[in-house]
Amino acid sequence: MKSRLIKADIINEVCRDTCQPRYVVEAIVNSTINNITLALSQGSEVQFAGFGTFEPKQRAARTGRNPHTKEAVPIPARVVPSFKAGKDLKKAVIK
């Protein structure tokens, strides 16, 4: 495997594993990504048992610094996507 796996690589692997045509697998992968994105944008968690959980997390407002001028810059509170690896994924990566 490559050190970086992109969406096209995943689609190719799934095509090979399932003997399904590329357009079918690509539609499924795109639909999965769109559904995860939609759920997170609505404030829901998305859990894949053993793999992990995607969840929206609230970040508090804070003060940052402009690295060039050293001026204080307010950074507003926001919601960001977060991923927490599941038990099976952690085991697979550690081995």
Side-chain angles (χ1 to χ4, degrees), residues 5-13 22 26 29-30 33:
L5 195 65
I6 62 173
K7 186 164 91 171
D9 296 330
I10 292 172
I11 290 169
N12 290 334
E13 292 291 327
R22 182 178 175 77
E26 188 170 5
V29 169
N30 287 334
I33 292 169

Side-chain angles (χ1 to χ4, degrees), residues 16-33:
R16 190 171 342 128
D17 291 347
T18 63
C19 299
Q20 294 296 314
R22 182 178 175 77
Y23 73 92
V24 171
V25 173
E26 188 170 5
I28 291 168
V29 169
N30 287 334
S31 178
T32 302
I33 292 169

